[in-house]
Amino acid sequence: MEPITIRDILTAVKGRILGDFDNLDLEISRVETDSRTIHEGSLFVPLIGEQFDGHAYITSALEGGAAACFTQRDRESYLPGKCYIRVDHTQRALRDLAVWYKKKFDIPVVAVTGSVGKTTTKDMVAAVLGEHYKVLKTEGNLNTDIGTCRTLFRLDKSYQIAVLEMGMNHPGEIEVMSAIAQPDVCLITNIGDSHIEHLGSRENILKAKCEIFSHAKPGCLAVLNGDDPLLRTLEGKLPEPILWCGGAPGLDYTADHLVSDGTSNVCCEVKTPHTSCQVEIPALGSHMIYPTLMAAAVAEHFGVTAEEFRRGVLHFAPTKMRMNIIQRGEDITILNDTYNANPQSMRAAVEVLSKTHSGRKIAVLGDMFELGTLAPALHAGIGTYLGKAGIDCLVAVGELAKNIYDAAREAMVPEVHYCATKEEALPVLAQVVKPHATILVKASRGMAFEDLTEYLKSITQEP
């Protein structure tokens, strides 16, 4: 972050100073929301949630080195030399400050949303653009309005373009992020069942995802998945020009001659309106054509050459716990896809497992959350698919995963195990893991299945 003054902050958030602090030229070097990791000279923003109120930590943040803070209420006393800025709403003030700060930098913004593959697409787009530009991107999964602000506060004059991921659980959340980012290019990866418990239908999910366009800049470009039937309904309805990506014939960006080594990569020919080139994608699964093609569309829009695009794809590295390939001794491979799960991503992960060149294919699958009344049927659908995909062994963990187990038994998966908890699964995993196995580990974030990945690493040898 480039330094800003107290005077700048007051202007950006329309705040007023409490107490007798009067050094409006004091410079602030960071904006932080966690009092436990405060840095010297920072602005502390006390957020308020259902279970916490950051105002309780204002004094400790200031004593820990913060130079200033926001507050929604007057204080009984004020630490000398510290700046207290009164605002109506601290989270809204954080957003206002991020919008003001972003305006200091005249760089384009690429915004990415969708039900599945947001983070992978963000990482792929950033990797490709990174061959030509210095790219600021959302780190990890900071895809909320607060995360968007935190990302933008990392801007400095060296960055040339930003790639921001936008997630949501409820309607209106992406609209807020669109207002903060004001994107120049908007990507929607697909429309699936994630958060259908809160939104009621895929049509409502589509509507929520389309909030990404609500504050897009004039002339914004839309890059959409042309194989998604709900996204196809947007044709002719958006004011923005659309580039369509996917496997169907006639789309703007397509992939052909898809070949996988079953171990670490997928190769294909990417065809664009301007050229075609062979690329090696260092990840598994035919679904990887979608982030690659969307990256191709963004790359050409911003003048990235075909050779830079090819190199960028080759340099792609997935975010932690998103189909990370972990090689172990005795020809054992762990597919660590534990960050999150929904029916579409679960099916795609099982497809990856099914196409590996492995002597024993094991799926360790857990609950998928926020599916509402559809949860039993959607879990059962995964169990049925395991049978069709030729998976050798299932270890289902969690209350909802019992539906995967029951359906997998009916689908004649050769070996099936059900465990109510992760603790119950440990001895089962020790029993089923054998040399030459590939093990997929996947569940929703709340299941914290990375614990099982670590256990699998502990019971297998180093390569």
Side-chain angles (χ1 to χ4, degrees), residues 17 29 33 41 79 131 195 228 252 264 268 322 413:
I17 292 179
S29 56
T33 59
L79 292 175
E131 295 296 316
H195 315 302
D228 188 289
D252 300 298
S264 62
C268 67
R322 286 175 171 84
V413 173

Side-chain angles (χ1 to χ4, degrees), residues 61 73 153 201 205 218 224 249 314 334-335 352 355 357 369 384 391:
R73 56 188 78 107
F153 286 131
S201 69
I205 293 171
L224 307 179
L314 190 59
I334 303 169
L335 302 179
V352 169
K355 292 183 177 179
H357 302 157
F369 297 145
T384 302
I391 303 306

Side-chain angles (χ1 to χ4, degrees), residues 6-146:
I6 296 296
R7 191 187 313 276
D8 293 330
I9 295 170
L10 293 172
T11 300
V13 305
K14 297 180 174 58
R16 60 182 175 87
I17 292 179
L18 301 176
D20 57 4
F21 184 88
D22 60 0
N23 183 9
L24 299 186
D25 294 319
L26 177 71
E27 290 189 338
I28 297 296
S29 56
R30 299 175 72 110
V31 178
E32 302 185 282
T33 59
D34 189 341
S35 63
R36 297 167 297 182
T37 57
I38 213 75
H39 291 79
E40 193 74 26
S42 63
L43 168 70
F44 174 62
V45 181
L47 300 175
I48 300 174
E50 293 182 4
Q51 305 293 330
F52 65 91
D53 184 347
H55 286 76
Y57 306 102
I58 284 178
T59 298
S60 62
L62 294 173
E63 290 177 342
C69 69
F70 287 158
T71 176
Q72 287 181 204
R73 56 188 78 107
D74 292 352
R75 309 285 293 179
E76 293 183 0
S77 61
Y78 301 96
L79 292 175
K82 301 294 184 178
C83 180
Y84 296 76
I85 300 174
R86 180 73 152 80
V87 296
D88 293 333
H89 190 284
T90 55
Q91 189 164 335
R92 191 177 303 122
L94 177 71
R95 297 197 297 255
D96 290 342
L97 183 58
V99 171
W100 179 90
Y101 184 74
K102 175 182 173 291
K103 289 178 180 177
K104 290 166 58 72
F105 308 94
D106 185 21
I107 66 170
V109 172
V110 179
V112 183
T113 193
S115 294
V116 180
K118 294 184 295 295
T119 302
T120 299
T121 302
K122 174 259 299 181
D123 288 337
M124 183 67 80
V125 170
V128 167
L129 291 176
E131 295 296 316
H132 192 95
Y133 300 100
K134 183 173 181 184
V135 180
L136 174 77
K137 72 169 183 175
T138 303
E139 293 296 339
N141 201 44
L142 294 175
N143 59 10
T144 63
D145 63 325
I146 296 169

